[in-house]
Amino acid sequence: MAKKDTPKSRKAARKPSDKDKARKWKTKAKKLAAELATLRSATETPKTKVKLVSPLAPKGGFPDLLRIPGVEFASAAAGVRYKGRTDVMLARLAPGTVIAGTFTRSATRSAAVLDCQAKLGRSEGADAGAAILVNSGNSNAFTGARGWASVNAICAAVARKLGIPETRVFTSSTGVIGEPMAHERIIDALDGLISELDADGIAGAAQAIMTTDTFPKGAMAEATIGGQTAHIVGIAKGSGMIAPDMATMLVYLFTDVKISQKHLQTMVSRQTNTSFNCITVDSDTSTSDTLLMAATGQGPAITDLRSSGAKAFEKALSDVMLNLAHQVVRDGEGATKFVEISVTGAADDADAKRCALSIANSPLVKTALAGSDPNWGRIVAAVGKSGAAADRDSLAIRFGQIPVAANGMVDPDYREEDGAAHFKGDEIQIGVDLGVGSGKATVWTCDLTHRYIDINADYRS
Amino acid sequence: MAKKDTPKSRKAARKPSDKDKARKWKTKAKKLAAELATLRSATETPKTKVKLVSPLAPKGGFPDLLRIPGVEFASAAAGVRYKGRTDVMLARLAPGTVIAGTFTRSATRSAAVLDCQAKLGRSEGADAGAAILVNSGNSNAFTGARGWASVNAICAAVARKLGIPETRVFTSSTGVIGEPMAHERIIDALDGLISELDADGIAGAAQAIMTTDTFPKGAMAEATIGGQTAHIVGIAKGSGMIAPDMATMLVYLFTDVKISQKHLQTMVSRQTNTSFNCITVDSDTSTSDTLLMAATGQGPAITDLRSSGAKAFEKALSDVMLNLAHQVVRDGEGATKFVEISVTGAADDADAKRCALSIANSPLVKTALAGSDPNWGRIVAAVGKSGAAADRDSLAIRFGQIPVAANGMVDPDYREEDGAAHFKGDEIQIGVDLGVGSGKATVWTCDLTHRYIDINADYRS
């Protein structure tokens, strides 16, 4: 009887040969091996940290930033900690440059921050030019007296090699905390850096200051002052306020306007308040956060902060700072949603900001965002705990343009599916009106995802 | 040739039989199947929310709580939201009972909380007895005017059926927010509840008030007052400050002491400050947090807060409150570590607490704990951002008894493996000395794990 004619009943009854068994188990083992491989690749902890680019990164990559007359950049691989990448950037600023800055208010801030703060107010040697030197890989924070020794050694070397006073050398360090920094590696790299100073070197500088950032961050804007065009460019690093072993938000801005240090500081402080001080990834503050702005004085002049030129310039500055601040949020650790939270109707602007940050930092709200869950009850709770004056029975909430709650209860026309549709997107707007005054504030944050836990609990860089 | 004598080279060369092959593939398939099952059970997302008991739950289960003369309990399944479980508890308190309480300071607190607060200070009808009614399943928060209607309807029904003034009925609600509460279901359950009131009913009451809790929480203590024994028992619910759709921390304490409402309130407020106000799971505050303590007056009397009896009683009260507070942390969402954070050397106690809570609420610190990573740099950052006065260069840190950092830098004798060994345990102690004064505080928290994200992002109850 031909095999193909074997009746099923007889085939079933036939005892399988060893060959049949081998084939059966082989097929089964191959299938299981494939399933196991798939599941493993989906779940396995990578042995090395994979550098994924944030899904919220701006399209188009790093922008072509304008040259600012009087500013040159260089970057180098000094081997402070990382291998195979640049980790030091130097910016040389022409004589006549004024510098303003804002810094972390952390009580445990690093020696580099304290040194910058001490130097900002000093006027001696201001005409001699200046330099900014930044390294990644080691934050030189919580390193006791050795921290100061490193800062002083770097400043002295830069000053000597560039022929400027030590008081005009500003440094920042970002990376691992608590380990003495091999500052001699930075000093050894100085001659190479100086020989490569280049007015077009800003993109390399933005790369060199990255730590856990998944993309370099740059922005620019122009303003018309008395018929002349002023330019502002900026770079930033930051992947949330925090990262493995502590990261930092560092920002460097350059402009060609001619302006007094005092006026520049006023604008920088004011605009920091509504940009970098209005973003949060996880409420943790670094010990090294630094923003420095250099004005080389080779472009149009601002002498009166109330002039229309000054206002146009401050608006351009605001644009650059907000752009960079948003890029930091977009590179927040594990972020999949870019979230704008606007609070209106507060007793005053400070109360509005307090309330907005309470919502932005609430793990409840952030996990709801991660789950695309329009869970407005969690927003009510975050408003309640913020300490901002609020009237429970006139509180209103909206998602994008969708009214969600009003007069202290859910809007009768609100449909959960409308909220859910808005939360499915990767740009989410939450509006809250406290119903007690006219104070307002807007802050930006991202969601709290499994990847945040991966980065911060499962690895240590 | 006997098989055992076959030389290795020949054996290797022999072509395996089909039987050998079948055995080989079968062994391989079984091994792969086992690996796959293990990996699946470790990684698969459950289709339904599994009610796991926290790994930090106290051993031995719910304690056998003493009877308190003058207190009876009943619980029932009223079907407020949940099916197949109890969701209402009633406590009847004998005439002469005084009641004290502490509440959430949330600006969006619920009508039940506002109602309790308004009633606490009133003395009329205090001799008539009292009642506490608590439901789970619906928090009746952010429900506008309907929220008040529900509270008033429940209080009126309980008062009428128990023959006590409405001002002596205290209610709490916990569960989903923003949905009108079907209070008539609770009222319909009242006759059944009253018929089952029982001096031994406290364990059932602890079960009925649970929402996302993974175990019921109870504690007790005794104190000797003028040769007589006073008793305190308590129950609590809470799985962190928060849970899907907002949970709540609710605490009910019962004692037989005879004491004025004013004195009881003084002790309750003082001890809340160092127990329930010193725990945090995720920094989110509920709109319904309530602690009520009833003293039935059927045991020994306290007339002077400075007496040794009063001090013994307050110590016992502290023990019960701390025990329950720790149980809430141990049931924190996703918790795998119970963490005690002690800050000393602060400018004052308030500064110490601010600093300790800053560490306890830092996502950086909490994820490091989850990863058993003794990342002390993150503790330095949390101290720095807390706003507490700190001297960077005299800051000291220890893990358990291990000195980690002193004088603003890592201790030269600290070995990372010692810190890692301490962080591997499920009970972790972090000590920080700020080096500026004599203020101190201790707070308790848990770690931030993937399961927290699961509970709060991936599901909505």
Side-chain angles (χ1 to χ4, degrees):
Chain A
M1 196 182 278
K3 202 178 174 186
K4 65 179 176 183
D5 293 325
T6 307
K8 272 192 177 155
S9 59
R10 269 200 68 190
K11 191 181 180 182
R14 181 171 69 85
K15 211 180 158 202
S17 69
D18 287 337
K19 193 166 185 175
D20 290 339
K21 283 187 197 163
R23 193 182 302 123
K24 186 190 103 182
W25 285 112
K26 185 176 178 182
T27 309
K28 189 162 180 119
K30 298 239 159 181
K31 188 166 157 281
L32 286 165
E35 275 182 62
L36 196 57
T38 306
L39 191 58
R40 277 213 179 107
S41 75
T43 61
E44 200 161 65
T45 305
K47 293 289 178 291
T48 53
K49 199 163 161 188
V50 181
K51 202 87 173 181
L52 299 165
V53 174
S54 166
L56 303 173
K59 310 292 174 243
F62 194 80
D64 275 331
L65 298 182
L66 293 164
R67 287 178 176 212
I68 300 292
V71 191
E72 299 159 288
F73 299 91
S75 47
V80 175
R81 179 184 174 91
Y82 308 126
K83 304 279 170 236
R85 55 156 283 187
T86 57
D87 57 359
V88 190
M89 83 102 173
L90 174 68
R92 178 164 65 185
L93 302 155
T97 297
V98 298
I99 297 182
T102 52
F103 302 90
T104 178
R105 283 173 290 222
S106 170
T108 53
R109 54 194 183 270
S110 67
V113 170
L114 294 167
D115 184 62
C116 284
Q117 289 182 301
K119 287 172 174 171
L120 269 194
R122 302 172 68 151
S123 54
E124 67 261 50
D127 287 342
I132 298 172
L133 185 134
V134 185
N135 75 274
S136 55
N138 187 316
S139 72
N140 189 29
F142 214 64
T143 44
R146 293 183 68 160
W148 277 108
S150 291
V151 172
N152 292 339
I154 293 169
C155 289
V158 171
R160 192 176 65 247
K161 286 178 189 284
L162 292 182
I164 58 176
E166 281 186 44
T167 53
R168 301 297 293 162
V169 182
F170 299 82
T171 70
S172 305
S173 295
T174 177
V176 69
I177 190 180
E179 283 183 17
M181 186 163 77
H183 60 258
E184 61 285 354
R185 295 185 194 166
I186 296 170
I187 293 171
D188 288 348
L190 279 179
D191 287 335
L193 281 164
I194 292 167
S195 70
E196 287 177 21
L197 280 164
D198 179 354
D200 288 324
I202 194 168
Q207 283 277 355
I209 63 174
M210 287 168 58
T211 53
T212 55
D213 301 63
T214 72
F215 58 89
K217 298 163 187 70
M220 64 180 160
E222 297 179 349
T224 304
I225 302 172
Q228 275 189 278
T229 303
H231 308 89
I232 306 172
V233 303
I235 57 175
K237 70 132 288 193
S239 185
M241 297 294 174
I242 64 143
D245 286 311
M246 187 166 319
T248 304
M249 197 183 67
L250 300 179
V251 184
Y252 304 97
L253 301 166
F254 306 92
T255 181
D256 49 2
V257 294
K258 186 168 177 55
I259 187 170
S260 70
Q261 200 276 340
K262 194 175 153 230
H263 281 168
L264 186 64
Q265 185 64 53
T266 299
M267 286 192 191
V268 164
S269 296
R270 195 152 54 196
Q271 295 306 320
T272 298
N273 253 346
T274 52
S275 58
F276 295 104
N277 285 350
C278 283
I279 61 172
T280 178
V281 168
D282 54 14
S283 79
D284 271 319
T285 308
S286 153
T287 51
S288 311
D289 289 347
T290 294
L291 178 147
L292 289 171
M293 180 161 192
T296 62
Q298 304 192 10
I302 292 174
T303 50
D304 178 357
L305 286 186
R306 289 159 304 178
S307 66
S308 65
K311 283 178 182 161
F313 180 79
E314 190 162 352
K315 172 68 175 65
L317 179 59
S318 165
D319 289 348
V320 171
M321 286 169 77
L322 269 179
N323 186 327
L324 290 173
H326 290 178
Q327 288 189 52
V328 170
V329 172
R330 287 174 179 281
D331 208 3
E333 289 171 342
T336 67
K337 310 271 184 185
F338 179 75
V339 187
E340 179 176 284
I341 298 169
S342 296
V343 172
T344 53
D348 54 34
D349 289 357
D351 242 22
K353 189 167 171 180
R354 187 174 304 126
C355 181
L357 285 173
S358 174
I359 298 167
N361 284 325
S362 159
L364 248 185
V365 172
K366 295 171 92 75
T367 48
L369 287 161
S372 299
D373 177 3
N375 194 326
W376 55 271
R378 298 185 179 181
I379 294 167
V380 174
V383 169
K385 73 163 180 169
S386 69
D391 179 354
R392 193 190 61 148
D393 294 331
S394 57
L395 191 64
I397 298 171
R398 64 176 168 72
F399 295 152
Q401 299 305 314
I402 308 160
V404 177
N407 303 319
M409 57 189 293
V410 66
D411 189 293
D413 294 332
Y414 173 66
R415 300 182 319 146
E416 178 91 359
E417 52 267 43
D418 294 340
H422 183 71
F423 269 56
K424 280 229 161 53
D426 61 9
E427 308 232 343
I428 293 172
Q429 288 106 39
I430 297 173
V432 171
D433 193 284
L434 297 180
V436 296
S438 59
K440 60 184 172 15
T442 301
V443 308
W444 296 270
T445 191
C446 58
D447 51 345
L448 172 58
T449 66
H450 279 292
R451 178 135 182 86
Y452 179 89
I453 309 269
D454 284 341
I455 295 172
N456 289 301
D458 300 348
Y459 308 113
R460 190 177 191 183
S461 67
Chain B
M1 198 181 279
K3 202 178 175 187
K4 63 179 175 182
D5 293 324
T6 307
K8 274 196 176 155
S9 58
R10 269 199 70 190
K11 193 182 178 183
R14 181 173 68 87
K15 209 179 160 201
S17 70
D18 287 337
K19 194 166 183 172
D20 291 338
K21 284 186 196 164
R23 195 182 299 121
K24 184 188 104 183
W25 285 112
K26 186 177 176 183
T27 307
K28 191 166 179 116
K30 297 239 162 181
K31 188 166 155 280
L32 287 164
E35 275 183 59
L36 194 59
T38 306
L39 191 60
R40 277 213 179 109
S41 75
T43 61
E44 202 159 65
T45 305
K47 294 286 178 295
T48 53
K49 196 164 164 187
V50 182
K51 200 89 173 182
L52 300 165
V53 173
S54 166
L56 304 173
K59 310 294 173 241
F62 193 81
D64 276 330
L65 298 182
L66 292 165
R67 289 179 173 208
I68 299 292
V71 191
E72 299 159 288
F73 299 92
S75 48
V80 175
R81 182 186 172 90
Y82 309 126
K83 305 281 170 232
R85 55 156 282 187
T86 56
D87 57 359
V88 190
M89 83 101 173
L90 174 67
R92 180 164 65 183
L93 302 155
T97 297
V98 299
I99 297 182
T102 52
F103 303 89
T104 178
R105 283 174 289 224
S106 169
T108 53
R109 54 192 182 273
S110 67
V113 170
L114 294 167
D115 184 61
C116 284
Q117 289 182 299
K119 286 172 176 172
L120 270 195
R122 302 173 69 152
S123 55
E124 66 261 49
D127 287 341
I132 298 172
L133 185 133
V134 185
N135 75 274
S136 56
N138 188 315
S139 73
N140 190 30
F142 214 64
T143 44
R146 292 183 68 163
W148 277 108
S150 290
V151 172
N152 292 338
I154 293 169
C155 289
V158 171
R160 194 175 64 247
K161 285 178 190 283
L162 291 183
I164 57 176
E166 281 186 43
T167 52
R168 299 298 290 164
V169 181
F170 299 83
T171 70
S172 304
S173 296
T174 177
V176 68
I177 192 179
E179 283 184 16
M181 186 164 76
H183 61 258
E184 59 287 353
R185 294 184 196 166
I186 297 170
I187 292 170
D188 288 348
L190 279 180
D191 287 336
L193 282 164
I194 292 167
S195 71
E196 287 178 22
L197 281 164
D198 180 354
D200 288 323
I202 195 167
Q207 283 278 355
I209 64 175
M210 287 167 60
T211 53
T212 55
D213 301 63
T214 72
F215 59 89
K217 298 164 186 71
M220 64 179 160
E222 296 180 348
T224 304
I225 301 172
Q228 275 189 277
T229 304
H231 307 89
I232 305 172
V233 301
I235 58 174
K237 71 133 288 189
S239 186
M241 297 295 173
I242 63 144
D245 286 312
M246 186 167 321
T248 305
M249 197 184 67
L250 300 179
V251 184
Y252 304 97
L253 302 166
F254 306 92
T255 180
D256 48 2
V257 294
K258 187 168 178 57
I259 188 170
S260 71
Q261 199 277 338
K262 194 175 153 230
H263 281 169
L264 186 65
Q265 185 64 53
T266 299
M267 287 194 191
V268 164
S269 297
R270 196 151 54 194
Q271 294 306 320
T272 298
N273 253 346
T274 52
S275 58
F276 295 104
N277 286 350
C278 282
I279 61 172
T280 178
V281 168
D282 52 15
S283 80
D284 271 321
T285 307
S286 153
T287 52
S288 312
D289 289 347
T290 295
L291 177 149
L292 289 171
M293 180 163 192
T296 62
Q298 304 192 9
I302 292 174
T303 50
D304 178 358
L305 286 186
R306 289 159 303 178
S307 65
S308 64
K311 283 176 183 162
F313 180 79
E314 191 162 351
K315 173 68 176 64
L317 178 60
S318 165
D319 288 347
V320 171
M321 285 167 79
L322 270 179
N323 185 327
L324 290 172
H326 291 179
Q327 289 190 50
V328 170
V329 172
R330 288 175 178 278
D331 208 3
E333 290 171 344
T336 68
K337 310 271 186 188
F338 179 75
V339 187
E340 179 176 284
I341 298 168
S342 296
V343 173
T344 53
D348 55 34
D349 289 355
D351 242 24
K353 187 166 171 180
R354 188 176 302 123
C355 181
L357 284 173
S358 175
I359 299 167
N361 284 326
S362 159
L364 248 185
V365 172
K366 294 171 91 73
T367 48
L369 286 162
S372 299
D373 177 2
N375 194 324
W376 55 271
R378 298 186 179 180
I379 294 166
V380 174
V383 169
K385 74 164 180 166
S386 69
D391 179 354
R392 193 190 60 146
D393 294 331
S394 56
L395 191 64
I397 298 171
R398 63 176 168 75
F399 295 151
Q401 298 306 313
I402 308 160
V404 177
N407 304 319
M409 58 189 295
V410 68
D411 187 293
D413 294 329
Y414 173 65
R415 300 183 319 146
E416 178 90 0
E417 52 268 42
D418 295 339
H422 183 71
F423 269 57
K424 279 227 161 55
D426 62 8
E427 308 233 344
I428 293 172
Q429 286 105 40
I430 297 173
V432 171
D433 193 284
L434 298 180
V436 296
S438 58
K440 61 183 174 16
T442 300
V443 308
W444 296 270
T445 191
C446 58
D447 51 343
L448 172 57
T449 65
H450 278 291
R451 177 131 184 89
Y452 180 88
I453 309 269
D454 283 340
I455 295 172
N456 289 301
D458 299 350
Y459 306 112
R460 190 178 191 185
S461 66

